[in-house]
Amino acid sequence: MRWCAATSRTGVRAICWEGSSMALPPAEKHQAVDGNRDDTIYDENSHDENSHDENSHDENSRDENIVWHDHPVARRDRERLHRHQGAVIWFTGLSGSGKSTLAGQLEQRLHQLGVSTYLLDGDNVRHGLCRDLGFSDADRRENIRRVGEVASLMVDAGLVVLTAFISPHRAERQLVRESLPEGKFIEVFVDTPLVVCEARDPKGLYKKARAGTLTNFTGIDAVYEPPHTPELRLEGEQLVTNLTDQLLDLLHSRAIIKV
């Protein structure tokens, strides 16, 4: 299997894919200012002494064939059309904390205001984009990497993207942040105590985890790393309407939306 990807601050640049997917190691942080992009190429197998393909080129020749194409319509043009900025609102928290409920409520309010949105839900992406992944640490990292790349493309399209994922590791959330332009990643920590999440248990997952029939479950036998400095911390036991108002206030204060 071979991945070859060019990445920058604004997301995926180009990808060549042979075989099934797997996680890419963290890429360097790249700058992109007014279309002057400092991109790089990452080839997973360039460091693998055991990999071999008689039809493959060396790393330099492969790099020469992968370029980023600037198109006449840029993100700022699409944002002007939408009449708001593109951004990712990244909800993180334990299962049962209320992430999906809040994301859904916020999207509904934004839609009523005429804001162009899309909601990426943890369960939904595993029906398609990430259907081949399990719940090991490596698969969780790859799950978040893929979602981050999709969210980055949607921000480039000028959308307000809402994501509802446990996303338990700080490092993976940071990588998503670094893949986006400054100010486009808004981390929202839905801080709901484990005992409350477990009492809610909307999918019965905590019960299975306690019984030992579900392993690698965050908060029980897998770690959750809460954000140190999220853009917004919400107390998940409050009324959803109150929490949604706090989110809208934040988007207004950052000039993401003006309506």
PDB file of all heavy atoms in Angstrom, residues 51-66:
ATOM      1  N   SER A  51       9.589  -1.954   1.311  1.00  0.00           N
ATOM      2  CA  SER A  51       8.597  -1.705   0.269  1.00  0.00           C
ATOM      3  C   SER A  51       9.278  -1.716  -1.090  1.00  0.00           C
ATOM      4  O   SER A  51      10.391  -1.246  -1.269  1.00  0.00           O
ATOM      5  CB  SER A  51       7.904  -0.369   0.510  1.00  0.00           C
ATOM      6  OG  SER A  51       8.830   0.694   0.403  1.00  0.00           O
ATOM      7  N   HIS A  52       8.557  -2.235  -2.127  1.00  0.00           N
ATOM      8  CA  HIS A  52       9.127  -2.292  -3.456  1.00  0.00           C
ATOM      9  C   HIS A  52       8.011  -2.348  -4.480  1.00  0.00           C
ATOM     10  O   HIS A  52       7.015  -3.039  -4.304  1.00  0.00           O
ATOM     11  CB  HIS A  52      10.018  -3.531  -3.621  1.00  0.00           C
ATOM     12  CG  HIS A  52      10.537  -3.699  -5.027  1.00  0.00           C
ATOM     13  ND1 HIS A  52      11.510  -2.877  -5.547  1.00  0.00           N
ATOM     14  CD2 HIS A  52      10.209  -4.589  -6.000  1.00  0.00           C
ATOM     15  CE1 HIS A  52      11.762  -3.264  -6.806  1.00  0.00           C
ATOM     16  NE2 HIS A  52      10.974  -4.284  -7.099  1.00  0.00           N
ATOM     17  N   ASP A  53       8.157  -1.581  -5.531  1.00  0.00           N
ATOM     18  CA  ASP A  53       7.208  -1.578  -6.634  1.00  0.00           C
ATOM     19  C   ASP A  53       7.993  -1.290  -7.893  1.00  0.00           C
ATOM     20  O   ASP A  53       8.577  -0.224  -8.056  1.00  0.00           O
ATOM     21  CB  ASP A  53       6.137  -0.493  -6.403  1.00  0.00           C
ATOM     22  CG  ASP A  53       5.085  -0.486  -7.496  1.00  0.00           C
ATOM     23  OD1 ASP A  53       5.319  -1.132  -8.529  1.00  0.00           O
ATOM     24  OD2 ASP A  53       4.058   0.187  -7.308  1.00  0.00           O
ATOM     25  N   GLU A  54       8.039  -2.242  -8.813  1.00  0.00           N
ATOM     26  CA  GLU A  54       8.871  -2.081  -9.991  1.00  0.00           C
ATOM     27  C   GLU A  54       8.409  -0.935 -10.875  1.00  0.00           C
ATOM     28  O   GLU A  54       9.176  -0.422 -11.698  1.00  0.00           O
ATOM     29  CB  GLU A  54       8.889  -3.385 -10.808  1.00  0.00           C
ATOM     30  CG  GLU A  54       7.515  -3.786 -11.345  1.00  0.00           C
ATOM     31  CD  GLU A  54       7.560  -5.106 -12.059  1.00  0.00           C
ATOM     32  OE1 GLU A  54       8.621  -5.746 -12.031  1.00  0.00           O
ATOM     33  OE2 GLU A  54       6.538  -5.497 -12.646  1.00  0.00           O
ATOM     34  N   ASN A  55       7.163  -0.506 -10.706  1.00  0.00           N
ATOM     35  CA  ASN A  55       6.646   0.595 -11.504  1.00  0.00           C
ATOM     36  C   ASN A  55       6.741   1.940 -10.798  1.00  0.00           C
ATOM     37  O   ASN A  55       6.349   2.961 -11.347  1.00  0.00           O
ATOM     38  CB  ASN A  55       5.174   0.340 -11.863  1.00  0.00           C
ATOM     39  CG  ASN A  55       5.025  -0.872 -12.737  1.00  0.00           C
ATOM     40  OD1 ASN A  55       5.814  -1.085 -13.648  1.00  0.00           O
ATOM     41  ND2 ASN A  55       4.009  -1.686 -12.453  1.00  0.00           N
ATOM     42  N   SER A  56       7.266   1.936  -9.571  1.00  0.00           N
ATOM     43  CA  SER A  56       7.310   3.180  -8.808  1.00  0.00           C
ATOM     44  C   SER A  56       8.491   4.030  -9.241  1.00  0.00           C
ATOM     45  O   SER A  56       9.514   3.537  -9.734  1.00  0.00           O
ATOM     46  CB  SER A  56       7.412   2.886  -7.319  1.00  0.00           C
ATOM     47  OG  SER A  56       8.654   2.277  -7.025  1.00  0.00           O
ATOM     48  N   HIS A  57       8.345   5.350  -9.054  1.00  0.00           N
ATOM     49  CA  HIS A  57       9.429   6.280  -9.311  1.00  0.00           C
ATOM     50  C   HIS A  57      10.120   6.585  -7.996  1.00  0.00           C
ATOM     51  O   HIS A  57       9.635   6.261  -6.919  1.00  0.00           O
ATOM     52  CB  HIS A  57       8.869   7.584  -9.900  1.00  0.00           C
ATOM     53  CG  HIS A  57       8.111   7.365 -11.182  1.00  0.00           C
ATOM     54  ND1 HIS A  57       8.731   7.059 -12.354  1.00  0.00           N
ATOM     55  CD2 HIS A  57       6.779   7.402 -11.431  1.00  0.00           C
ATOM     56  CE1 HIS A  57       7.816   6.922 -13.307  1.00  0.00           C
ATOM     57  NE2 HIS A  57       6.627   7.124 -12.767  1.00  0.00           N
ATOM     58  N   ASP A  58      11.294   7.215  -8.096  1.00  0.00           N
ATOM     59  CA  ASP A  58      11.915   7.634  -6.853  1.00  0.00           C
ATOM     60  C   ASP A  58      11.157   8.832  -6.298  1.00  0.00           C
ATOM     61  O   ASP A  58      10.277   9.389  -6.940  1.00  0.00           O
ATOM     62  CB  ASP A  58      13.402   7.971  -7.062  1.00  0.00           C
ATOM     63  CG  ASP A  58      13.620   9.113  -8.041  1.00  0.00           C
ATOM     64  OD1 ASP A  58      12.811  10.074  -8.026  1.00  0.00           O
ATOM     65  OD2 ASP A  58      14.583   9.058  -8.813  1.00  0.00           O
ATOM     66  N   GLU A  59      11.506   9.224  -5.069  1.00  0.00           N
ATOM     67  CA  GLU A  59      10.727  10.232  -4.368  1.00  0.00           C
ATOM     68  C   GLU A  59      10.705  11.555  -5.113  1.00  0.00           C
ATOM     69  O   GLU A  59       9.671  12.210  -5.219  1.00  0.00           O
ATOM     70  CB  GLU A  59      11.296  10.421  -2.961  1.00  0.00           C
ATOM     71  CG  GLU A  59      10.480  11.394  -2.121  1.00  0.00           C
ATOM     72  CD  GLU A  59      10.991  11.499  -0.710  1.00  0.00           C
ATOM     73  OE1 GLU A  59      11.952  10.774  -0.392  1.00  0.00           O
ATOM     74  OE2 GLU A  59      10.443  12.290   0.059  1.00  0.00           O
ATOM     75  N   ASN A  60      11.845  11.961  -5.664  1.00  0.00           N
ATOM     76  CA  ASN A  60      11.911  13.247  -6.333  1.00  0.00           C
ATOM     77  C   ASN A  60      11.041  13.289  -7.576  1.00  0.00           C
ATOM     78  O   ASN A  60      10.322  14.251  -7.823  1.00  0.00           O
ATOM     79  CB  ASN A  60      13.363  13.574  -6.712  1.00  0.00           C
ATOM     80  CG  ASN A  60      14.198  13.882  -5.487  1.00  0.00           C
ATOM     81  OD1 ASN A  60      13.672  14.336  -4.483  1.00  0.00           O
ATOM     82  ND2 ASN A  60      15.497  13.624  -5.574  1.00  0.00           N
ATOM     83  N   SER A  61      11.070  12.202  -8.392  1.00  0.00           N
ATOM     84  CA  SER A  61      10.262  12.206  -9.608  1.00  0.00           C
ATOM     85  C   SER A  61       8.776  12.181  -9.262  1.00  0.00           C
ATOM     86  O   SER A  61       7.959  12.762  -9.968  1.00  0.00           O
ATOM     87  CB  SER A  61      10.630  11.018 -10.503  1.00  0.00           C
ATOM     88  OG  SER A  61      10.314   9.789  -9.864  1.00  0.00           O
ATOM     89  N   ARG A  62       8.412  11.499  -8.157  1.00  0.00           N
ATOM     90  CA  ARG A  62       7.012  11.460  -7.754  1.00  0.00           C
ATOM     91  C   ARG A  62       6.571  12.855  -7.308  1.00  0.00           C
ATOM     92  O   ARG A  62       5.477  13.311  -7.631  1.00  0.00           O
ATOM     93  CB  ARG A  62       6.827  10.461  -6.609  1.00  0.00           C
ATOM     94  CG  ARG A  62       5.379  10.243  -6.238  1.00  0.00           C
ATOM     95  CD  ARG A  62       5.253   9.257  -5.105  1.00  0.00           C
ATOM     96  NE  ARG A  62       5.756   7.944  -5.473  1.00  0.00           N
ATOM     97  CZ  ARG A  62       6.790   7.368  -4.885  1.00  0.00           C
ATOM     98  NH1 ARG A  62       7.435   7.972  -3.923  1.00  0.00           N
ATOM     99  NH2 ARG A  62       7.190   6.169  -5.271  1.00  0.00           N
ATOM    100  N   ASP A  63       7.443  13.564  -6.575  1.00  0.00           N
ATOM    101  CA  ASP A  63       7.114  14.905  -6.134  1.00  0.00           C
ATOM    102  C   ASP A  63       6.834  15.828  -7.310  1.00  0.00           C
ATOM    103  O   ASP A  63       5.927  16.653  -7.245  1.00  0.00           O
ATOM    104  CB  ASP A  63       8.270  15.483  -5.316  1.00  0.00           C
ATOM    105  CG  ASP A  63       8.433  14.798  -3.980  1.00  0.00           C
ATOM    106  OD1 ASP A  63       7.667  13.877  -3.676  1.00  0.00           O
ATOM    107  OD2 ASP A  63       9.357  15.186  -3.249  1.00  0.00           O
ATOM    108  N   GLU A  64       7.595  15.700  -8.374  1.00  0.00           N
ATOM    109  CA  GLU A  64       7.439  16.580  -9.519  1.00  0.00           C
ATOM    110  C   GLU A  64       6.094  16.405 -10.204  1.00  0.00           C
ATOM    111  O   GLU A  64       5.640  17.305 -10.919  1.00  0.00           O
ATOM    112  CB  GLU A  64       8.564  16.320 -10.521  1.00  0.00           C
ATOM    113  CG  GLU A  64       9.942  16.710  -9.996  1.00  0.00           C
ATOM    114  CD  GLU A  64      11.062  16.248 -10.912  1.00  0.00           C
ATOM    115  OE1 GLU A  64      10.723  15.602 -11.931  1.00  0.00           O
ATOM    116  OE2 GLU A  64      12.228  16.529 -10.612  1.00  0.00           O
ATOM    117  N   ASN A  65       5.451  15.274  -9.999  1.00  0.00           N
ATOM    118  CA  ASN A  65       4.185  14.998 -10.664  1.00  0.00           C
ATOM    119  C   ASN A  65       2.971  15.350  -9.818  1.00  0.00           C
ATOM    120  O   ASN A  65       1.837  15.163 -10.252  1.00  0.00           O
ATOM    121  CB  ASN A  65       4.114  13.510 -11.054  1.00  0.00           C
ATOM    122  CG  ASN A  65       5.124  13.154 -12.122  1.00  0.00           C
ATOM    123  OD1 ASN A  65       5.403  13.948 -13.004  1.00  0.00           O
ATOM    124  ND2 ASN A  65       5.698  11.966 -12.018  1.00  0.00           N
ATOM    125  N   ILE A  66       3.200  15.840  -8.608  1.00  0.00           N
ATOM    126  CA  ILE A  66       2.090  16.202  -7.733  1.00  0.00           C
ATOM    127  C   ILE A  66       2.199  17.681  -7.405  1.00  0.00           C
ATOM    128  O   ILE A  66       3.130  18.104  -6.730  1.00  0.00           O
ATOM    129  CB  ILE A  66       2.097  15.371  -6.436  1.00  0.00           C
ATOM    130  CG1 ILE A  66       1.999  13.883  -6.752  1.00  0.00           C
ATOM    131  CG2 ILE A  66       0.952  15.802  -5.522  1.00  0.00           C
ATOM    132  CD1 ILE A  66       2.080  12.994  -5.539  1.00  0.00           C
TER     133      ILE A  66
END
